[in-house]
Amino acid sequence: MTDIATSTDLTIARYGADAEPFFAATVDVDMSPLYAPFLAKLAPGAAILDAGCGSGRDARAFREQGYAVTAIEPSPPLARLAEIHTGLPVEVKRFQAIDWCERFDGIWVCASLLHVPLAELPVVLQRLARALRPEGVLYVSFKYGHGERDSGGRHFTDLNETALAELLDSVPELTLLETWTTADRRSWREAEQWLNALLRLTPLG
């Protein structure tokens, strides 16, 4: 059985090997309906972290709307493509290495946290929570389901509402604001369902 570290390395390597076709397939997808609930919670010019930015599509959209954007991506080839697309520096960084403290008003984690093994998700969410300013907002999305699997050389952690609630029991500083399901925004994969969630940092004590 593949261990957690190897699973993560293999997933990142797969994205690196497929960086150009992945970029081409995702960079022009219209994500504006998903931006709206997230941005509605933020003030103009707020500081946003796009964590696992992939092609840089969302980071660029936020920047063009006047937000102060920081972007990270664990795959070096994708990070280089995202830098070209966004005009922003894109740091090569994994979720497990996030160490900011009260830096961002909002954190956007679209279709990337799902590659973190379930056993590591509580600590990763705690790192994301620590990077938020008080009352900051976190957006996450997962393929809809329950359990872990490997597909196409990549690891997936699928969540439904019950599994998300169980996960958040381990991260009490994050309060669930809302969840909703959507079809994949790529027209050729619209049969796939996604769980979307907005969380707010509510400092303990």
Side-chain angles (χ1 to χ4, degrees):
M1 183 175 181
T2 303
D3 63 30
I4 287 175
T6 301
S7 175
T8 300
D9 290 343
L10 290 173
T11 298
I12 293 172
R14 172 53 56 191
Y15 275 105
D18 295 340
E20 291 191 7
F22 176 81
F23 178 93
T26 58
V27 70
D28 292 324
V29 177
D30 178 15
M31 300 294 286
S32 54
L34 293 177
Y35 299 154
F38 173 68
L39 297 179
K41 307 291 186 184
L42 301 176
I48 294 176
L49 171 65
D50 186 349
C53 70
S55 66
R57 172 198 62 211
D58 304 333
R60 176 170 172 166
F62 297 146
R63 184 188 189 194
E64 290 176 345
Q65 294 183 61
Y67 295 95
V69 180
T70 299
I72 62 172
E73 166 57 44
S75 165
L78 265 180
R80 288 193 294 271
L81 292 172
E83 282 193 338
I84 294 168
H85 182 64
T86 62
L88 294 166
V90 177
E91 183 178 0
V92 176
K93 184 189 284 285
R94 300 185 182 199
F95 289 109
Q96 294 87 342
I98 289 173
D99 56 1
W100 287 292
C101 183
E102 295 189 9
R103 173 78 174 273
F104 303 104
D105 303 297
I107 300 179
W108 176 262
V109 195
C110 181
S112 52
L113 199 61
L114 80 174
H115 293 306
V116 175
L118 182 61
E120 293 189 358
L121 276 174
V123 171
V124 166
L125 284 171
Q126 288 163 3
R127 286 180 175 272
L128 292 168
R130 190 161 55 246
L132 283 170
R133 292 171 178 158
E135 302 299 316
V137 175
L138 171 65
Y139 166 85
V140 299
S141 62
F142 294 84
K143 286 183 181 288
Y144 195 90
H146 192 181
E148 296 181 88
R149 59 189 171 87
D150 292 314
S151 176
R154 297 174 295 167
H155 179 87
F156 289 88
T157 299
D158 299 335
L159 296 184
N160 55 24
E161 293 89 347
T162 300
L164 176 62
E166 292 171 353
L167 173 61
L168 291 177
D169 284 342
S170 303
V171 196
E173 59 267 44
L174 289 173
T175 299
L176 181 63
L177 296 178
E178 61 178 304
T179 63
W180 69 103
T181 57
T182 53
D184 198 296
R185 297 294 298 169
R186 294 165 291 185
S187 60
W188 65 95
R189 299 181 70 170
E190 61 187 8
E192 294 185 14
Q193 294 294 303
W194 289 80
L195 176 69
N196 307 270
L198 279 178
L199 313 170
R200 187 182 295 281
L201 177 66
T202 307
L204 302 176

